[in-house]
Amino acid sequence: MIITAISLLEEEYPKLRVKITKELRKRLFLHLDNLTGDLARSLKISKVSLRRKFFNREGYSFKLCELLFLAKKAEISENEVFSSITDTKIGDNAFWANLPTKISVDEEVTEGIGYYVGDGRLKTNGGLSTTNTDVKTIKFFLKWLKKYFDVDVKNVMINIYLPRLDFNVNSEKKKWSKLLEANINSVKSKYDYKDYHKILIEVCYFRKIAKLILDKLVPIIKEKCLANKSLAKAYIRGIMAAEGSVKHDEKSHQKAIHLKMKNKSEVEYVFKLLQLIGLTPSFLFSKQDNEWLTTISGCDELEKLDEMDIFKSNGERRRKLKEILSDYQHRQVKKGQVKEFYLTKLLEFERKHGKYYTAEELSRYLKRSKSRILNVLRELRESKLVIGERIIKIGKPFKFALTEKGKEFISK
């Protein structure tokens, strides 16, 4: 799908000002030179102003509505007009911005939209801006701006915030300029920093029209993702680079990827995308953090996310996911040996600690996630290899024990 960028701003046409190619100005002038007086009156501007716009005098530019009116009189199509626009701005005092003629709705633009929904400043209308601690993520965002918003890197402001006071501004600028392959505007000490804080990178592109285009793109992209698994994966990669995290609970041995945000509808949307691509995420509200959460856990599901390069644009999280998957591989039981392995361990636990055991106790003993232990115990109970019941009263956790059949299975 290809979108004409300027067509996204149809509601804003009365406010848009544009610069056009020399060729289009020449065509308009040749067709309309003898009519400038009448045309100026129709547009409610002076004849002098209209002629200055034709000749591209400094301080004079066409409103898009004026340009479309003149083009119609000169029998020039809207498509020709749109393809001849070189710069655009909204209002008189805004900065001029280059806009791409067309935007291709592909995986890369979708990943960038997902990232911006997660980590961009959505509530401001002054332009596009984000902050992040990961160099790879910032480099992705800069590349995305250049490719899909035709951004000149000279118009992008980059600020580095360091969690310390002892640094040389010039040497830091050189270092970060080399890392990001872009000019650095400022290097400052982060306000009220702590020792554990990371370096923060801020990227700002102060072009109001770019934000307007993004606002129009977001609902279009999100609708497409719900019907296209490749785009869904790209959106998930983007928002995970922004707000995703890799979790490993040392106590419960639970390993998972979390997406946590205050925006319930956004977390619910990503939850649906995860289901669309064949995963089984959870969706819940965290009272502790006052945020909504979707979680993916289990070795198979995490491996699927790794295969689709879920943290493609975030180097640190990508490394962490590889680490926990490596840990899974060290401890994973070979296919076909699950029953034998768990029943042997259950008997070993019984002999060491007594007859009954809970899933939580086994989780700590076997150094596996509680959810995995529960799934195995349910399967063993269905096969009548273990018994499971609430030993004391309702509300207490299930306690499990080997049956005679389970003990016979091991001894075979």
Side-chain angles (χ1 to χ4, degrees), residues 51-105:
R51 291 182 69 84
R52 286 176 177 171
K53 292 180 182 188
F54 278 136
F55 290 104
N56 198 30
R57 296 289 186 261
E58 188 173 344
Y60 289 85
S61 59
F62 287 106
K63 291 180 180 178
L64 183 56
C65 289
E66 293 174 345
L67 183 61
L68 292 174
F69 172 79
L70 296 171
K72 189 174 181 179
K73 293 292 182 183
E75 298 182 347
I76 298 171
S77 70
E78 280 194 5
N79 285 339
E80 288 181 276
V81 171
F82 291 152
S83 63
S84 299
I85 293 172
T86 58
D87 296 284
T88 317
K89 68 177 182 178
I90 187 159
D92 295 328
N93 300 320
F95 293 111
W96 288 104
N98 298 322
L99 286 184
T101 306
K102 298 181 184 298
I103 297 174
S104 174
V105 178

Side-chain angles (χ1 to χ4, degrees), residues 4-40:
T4 304
I6 198 76
S7 67
L8 292 171
L9 303 173
E10 190 171 354
E11 294 176 7
E12 307 295 335
Y13 281 1
K15 302 175 189 176
L16 292 184
R17 288 192 169 276
V18 296
K19 289 182 181 180
I20 57 177
T21 61
K22 184 178 179 180
E23 290 74 18
L24 181 58
R25 281 190 286 107
K26 187 176 180 180
R27 285 179 66 190
L28 287 170
F29 184 70
L30 287 173
H31 282 85
L32 306 174
D33 182 33
N34 296 328
L35 304 171
T36 50
D38 292 337
L39 293 171

Side-chain angles (χ1 to χ4, degrees), residues 141-191:
F141 181 66
L142 288 169
K143 180 184 174 185
W144 182 77
L145 281 179
K146 291 179 203 174
K147 183 172 181 179
Y148 294 101
F149 288 86
D150 204 14
V151 170
D152 186 339
V153 72
K154 292 184 293 186
N155 294 325
V156 176
M157 181 179 287
I158 302 176
N159 304 309
I160 309 295
Y161 296 94
L162 303 176
R164 62 180 193 273
L165 295 171
D166 57 332
F167 59 86
N168 180 280
V169 172
N170 290 331
S171 62
E172 288 290 340
K173 277 188 175 183
K174 286 179 183 178
K175 181 182 82 174
W176 285 98
S177 181
K178 187 176 180 180
L179 275 171
L180 298 174
E181 299 172 4
N183 183 52
I184 306 301
N185 293 80
S186 71
V187 177
K188 302 174 182 177
S189 180
K190 191 177 179 183
Y191 176 73

Side-chain angles (χ1 to χ4, degrees), residues 5 50 52 65 68 76 84 87 99 120 129-130 135 170 221 236 244 254 280 291 295 313 325 329 332 334 355 386:
L50 181 56
R52 286 176 177 171
C65 289
L68 292 174
I76 298 171
S84 299
D87 296 284
L99 286 184
S129 58
T130 186
V135 171
N170 290 331
I221 297 289
I236 293 166
Q254 178 82 26
T280 53
E291 290 184 310
T295 303
S313 300
L325 284 174
Q329 289 164 9
Q332 200 156 13
K334 290 181 180 178
K355 187 178 180 183
V386 301

Side-chain angles (χ1 to χ4, degrees), residues 111 134 136-137 237 240-241 244-246 257 302 305-326:
E111 187 175 338
D134 192 89
K136 190 173 183 180
T137 303
R237 279 196 296 269
M240 284 294 184
S245 60
V246 181
I257 289 175
L302 294 179
L305 291 175
D306 184 52
E307 285 169 11
M308 65 176 261
D309 211 357
I310 186 70
F311 293 118
K312 178 182 177 182
S313 300
N314 190 294
E316 184 178 353
R317 290 172 195 162
R318 194 169 187 250
R319 177 185 57 77
K320 285 183 178 178
L321 178 56
K322 297 285 185 188
E323 280 180 6
I324 66 170
L325 284 174
S326 174

